[in-house]
Amino acid sequence: MTDDQLLDQIQKQGLLPAPTVARLRRDILVNNESAEAIIQRERLIPDVKIAELKSALTNVPYQKIDAAAIDAKLLGFIPEETVRTYGVAPISLADNLFIVGMLHPDNTKAQDAVKFIARQNHVNLGVYLISYGDWEAVIRRYSPYRSEIAKAVQSLNVKEGSSNQLAIDLAAVKGNEDAPVIKIVADTLKEAVFSRASDVHIEPEEKSLRIRFRIDGDLRQVASLPAELAQPIISRVKVISSLKIDETRIPQDGRFRSRLLDKDVDFRVSTFPTPMGEKVAIRVLDPTTGLKNFDSLQFRYKNLEAVKAGLEKPFGMILLTGPTGSGKTTTLYSFLQELNKESVNIVSLEDPVEYFVSGVNQSQVRPEIGYDFASGLREILRQDPDVIMVGEIRDNETAGLAVQAALTGHIVLSTLHTNNAAGVVPRLIDMKVEPFLLPVAMNLMISQRLIGVLCPNCKAQEEASAPMQEIIARALAGLPEEVTASYAKPYKIWRAPGCTVCKGKGIQGRAAIFEVLRMTPQLEEIIVSGSTIQKIGQEAKRQGMITLRQDGIIKVLEGLLPLEEVLRETEE
């Protein structure tokens, strides 16, 4: 079954709207990825649903498999390269019958590959269709991070509990790509990409070297290595990041790119001196997870209408607000991609450039040489821009210049630190922007937070408790009937107890909740007459703005987010 045939069936059965299917067809050509890979990554449709659809069309029975339960000896029957190339996976071997799972059982080359393996081992062959998620989990079994790291450490003959002030001789590993230290660093980065980690922390301690990943917003330890390896591993990271190895007294910043798991991934490196040695933080900039298209942001109802209308306007500011780590930059990039057309000149100022977007002229500010957001913004205006993206409005001068750019016929996208959308106007006025300029310059003020997404593999529906019923009812009370009519009482919520897919967390990935405040004549009157948070909040209610909590509750009732986390991250 080809990607086109699969997408045709998905559209025919109403699993995705026509615009999303059209966008997927375009992404398949641009990114050279399969439809299933994109759908799985963006969680557009549960992979089980896709597998069941393919099973019905190919007449091959679908089998759900537990990758963790597959015998390690069985993995040796099919080489990892074959598993990756042909989308196959070993399932079981009993009574001379070898059961194999296949992503594409109608692919003749994949059929020939598994038949050859069966003949080679003198066994009969049975075939099931498997889901993309299960296939990915099997691939993970072929590259077990902890065991590989343990082998590399063992080959170095270092002892546990020794001080990290000692170091092994790096001369022995220079130029040898199979050296243990090089392998440890490479396997760590590969594991980070596979685990969808946003950051890797390499932290020297008195008696060990701790490695932690930030996954879905939480830090978790993935390895503890002998302290002797701290200096060689950190030196290796500095070498590939083009940093000074002999400079350990001051922080350094670097960057490098590597091809891992069949995709180009950028890594941003920052070193920080501590009494135990240098700590390294590595930001993993995986374009397949960090670059999202507009549809995958999941704006709902009036929020969606307001953002679409704002992006279609010929000029004006769209400001994103929220705490550090709330996904503002990801949303900005998705807006850029939505506006990115051949007829539009987009120029950005970033600190630093996180993802490279084809067709966008991106520039990184360098304050140490006087090239900051303010000076860069002045230069951008000489580049004949249609759309200007400023990574962050940090000072009064940048705020004033951004407003002037919006007033002179440009679309300006940027971020600001406030608690909610209503706080944008007071914050800009506090940054010495004249109040009478804001109504003309501003289009949208968007606030957002990131919430963990319930694991689609183990989540189950249940009726909310009485106190939760009241909280949900209060949140939905201010929404229009067209929204509330979709959610009948008693309200049902979803919980995920944890499984092997989500590693017992019940959470897999994160999604944003939003509130979108529009500039209106009524809001203009409030600003000119002397704005307060309370007055702006009243205007937001008059607009029918969906608040952060309301957007979160809607996504709770849709089975996307856990209720407890939404309540913790939002105010009533």
Side-chain angles (χ1 to χ4, degrees), residues 43-159:
R43 297 184 174 86
L44 298 175
I45 305 171
D47 62 339
V48 172
K49 187 72 176 175
I50 294 289
E52 290 171 348
L53 173 63
K54 289 171 62 181
S55 175
L57 294 170
T58 59
N59 293 319
V60 177
Y62 161 64
Q63 176 71 46
K64 179 164 183 58
I65 61 175
D66 181 2
I70 297 175
D71 193 316
K73 293 180 181 178
L74 192 59
L75 296 175
F77 268 65
I78 306 181
E80 181 179 359
E81 185 179 349
T82 303
V83 172
R84 289 184 180 277
T85 303
Y86 298 109
V88 300
I91 297 178
S92 64
L93 176 61
D95 300 326
N96 208 39
L97 179 62
F98 184 33
I99 303 297
V100 176
M102 301 180 70
L103 279 180
H104 310 290
D106 53 348
N107 183 318
T108 54
K109 289 185 178 180
Q111 291 172 4
D112 291 342
V114 294
K115 285 176 183 176
F116 174 77
I117 291 169
R119 284 196 304 269
Q120 204 175 30
N121 291 280
H122 308 291
V123 293
N124 296 318
L125 184 66
V127 171
Y128 282 104
L129 188 145
I130 58 174
S131 71
Y132 193 89
D134 287 349
W135 173 72
E136 278 192 324
V138 171
I139 290 178
R140 176 68 186 84
R141 288 289 309 278
Y142 280 88
S143 303
Y145 173 64
R146 291 179 186 272
S147 60
E148 290 297 321
I149 290 292
K151 287 179 187 175
V153 172
Q154 189 175 12
S155 69
L156 289 166
N157 294 319
V158 292
K159 297 178 180 178

Side-chain angles (χ1 to χ4, degrees), residues 189 236-244 252-258 264-271 280-287 290-291 329 333 348-357 362-366:
L189 296 177
R236 172 62 183 166
V237 174
K238 291 172 78 173
V239 166
I240 58 180
S241 310
S242 300
L243 301 180
K244 296 177 181 176
Q252 296 185 67
D253 294 313
R255 187 176 187 135
F256 65 94
R257 171 177 287 191
S258 182
D264 290 324
V265 182
D266 285 292
F267 297 90
R268 199 174 76 222
V269 179
S270 173
T271 68
V280 174
I282 305 173
R283 171 64 56 88
V284 182
L285 301 172
D286 182 352
L291 281 178
T329 303
Y333 274 109
S348 77
L349 274 177
E350 305 173 52
D351 183 23
V353 174
E354 293 202 0
Y355 300 101
F356 297 103
V357 182
Q362 297 171 268
S363 180
Q364 180 169 325
V365 299
R366 298 190 181 278

Side-chain angles (χ1 to χ4, degrees), residues 161-359:
S162 55
S163 170
N164 70 7
Q165 301 303 312
L166 301 174
I168 63 171
D169 182 8
L170 277 182
V173 303
K174 286 180 179 176
N176 183 359
E177 289 303 315
D178 295 322
V181 169
I182 294 175
K183 182 172 177 55
I184 289 171
V185 172
D187 285 352
T188 299
L189 296 177
K190 183 179 178 182
E191 179 72 8
V193 173
F194 190 92
S195 303
R196 298 174 180 265
S198 61
D199 299 88
V200 177
H201 292 259
I202 303 175
E203 303 164 314
E205 298 180 326
E206 187 176 359
K207 293 187 177 180
S208 66
L209 176 69
R210 180 171 64 169
I211 298 179
R212 294 191 292 173
F213 291 170
R214 187 176 294 281
I215 302 173
D216 298 335
D218 296 325
L219 274 174
R220 64 181 73 167
Q221 182 169 316
V222 296
S224 179
L225 306 180
E228 273 189 303
L229 295 180
Q231 184 183 334
I233 287 175
I234 291 168
S235 294
R236 172 62 183 166
V237 174
K238 291 172 78 173
V239 166
I240 58 180
S241 310
S242 300
L243 301 180
K244 296 177 181 176
I245 299 178
D246 57 345
E247 180 55 82
T248 60
R249 300 165 299 172
I250 60 173
Q252 296 185 67
D253 294 313
R255 187 176 187 135
F256 65 94
R257 171 177 287 191
S258 182
R259 187 159 185 82
L260 295 172
L261 304 178
D262 299 323
K263 53 190 172 183
D264 290 324
V265 182
D266 285 292
F267 297 90
R268 199 174 76 222
V269 179
S270 173
T271 68
F272 187 77
T274 74
M276 292 294 105
E278 287 180 287
K279 175 190 182 300
V280 174
I282 305 173
R283 171 64 56 88
V284 182
L285 301 172
D286 182 352
T288 61
T289 56
L291 281 178
K292 297 184 180 295
N293 58 65
F294 182 78
D295 291 337
S296 66
L297 292 180
Q298 304 188 65
F299 284 99
R300 296 287 192 270
Y301 303 109
K302 283 202 171 183
N303 284 351
L304 178 61
E305 295 169 13
V307 172
K308 281 189 171 180
L311 290 173
E312 288 170 1
K313 290 189 176 182
F315 58 86
M317 289 183 73
I318 298 176
L319 286 183
L320 286 157
T321 182
T324 301
S326 59
K328 300 187 296 296
T329 303
T330 298
T331 304
L332 271 187
Y333 274 109
S334 75
F335 287 176
L336 282 184
Q337 292 182 93
E338 189 74 6
L339 295 168
N340 191 6
K341 300 180 179 68
E342 185 182 352
S343 58
V344 177
N345 179 24
I346 303 177
V347 187
S348 77
L349 274 177
E350 305 173 52
D351 183 23
V353 174
E354 293 202 0
Y355 300 101
F356 297 103
V357 182
S358 177

